[in-house]
Amino acid sequence: MSTSLIPFLEMNGNANEAIDFYEKALDAKVVSKRLGDVPGNPKSLLTPEQKNRVSFAVLKIGESELQLTDHFTGSSYQKGTLMTLVVQTPDKEKAEQYFEALKEGGHVNEPLQASFFSPAYGIVTDKFGVTFRILAKGRQ
């Protein structure tokens, strides 16, 4: 597996509708994970609506990949910030290198750190205003 650049749509609550649409319109093959299924704090109470929102979805369209979320990560949604780019690599050190380079003159939205789905994951907006999700593929 090599490093790849993947578009990431932040849907602000209508990801399920978008997934259904792209599945039909683009013959997308869908794998999704609902927010209520994400490992987390058992004391955290999710409303039934929140449990049905999409935490993360991958749509395979031919050889390409499109990722979506309902933007439920705790950061604030702003209209006009619908798309970010995912830089996915199998190499944790390469993810760290990308993150460090992109944050020069930019802004760290979410520090690069281990998560339940990746040994290195973070979000950074570069000096040009482009937001990247840096992801080392694989579990911690």
Side-chain angles (χ1 to χ4, degrees), residues 1-4 6 65 88-91 135-138:
M1 174 186 184
S2 62
T3 299
S4 56
I6 304 164
E65 185 173 299
Q88 182 173 284
T89 177
D91 186 340
L135 170 72
K137 187 75 173 169

Side-chain angles (χ1 to χ4, degrees), residues 88-126:
Q88 182 173 284
T89 177
D91 186 340
K92 180 182 175 190
E93 288 74 30
K94 195 61 136 169
E96 291 167 350
Q97 176 189 334
Y98 293 148
F99 192 86
E100 291 301 314
L102 289 167
K103 79 176 190 181
E104 292 273 333
H107 172 75
V108 173
N109 303 322
E110 192 172 312
L112 190 71
Q113 58 191 352
S115 71
F116 73 93
F117 58 88
S118 170
Y121 173 76
I123 304 172
V124 62
T125 301
D126 72 11

Side-chain angles (χ1 to χ4, degrees), residues 4-26:
S4 56
L5 189 64
I6 304 164
F8 190 94
L9 301 179
E10 306 208 19
M11 303 308 295
N12 199 32
N14 62 351
N16 283 309
E17 181 182 350
I19 289 168
D20 291 343
F21 177 77
Y22 295 133
E23 192 172 21
K24 292 174 186 138
L26 301 172

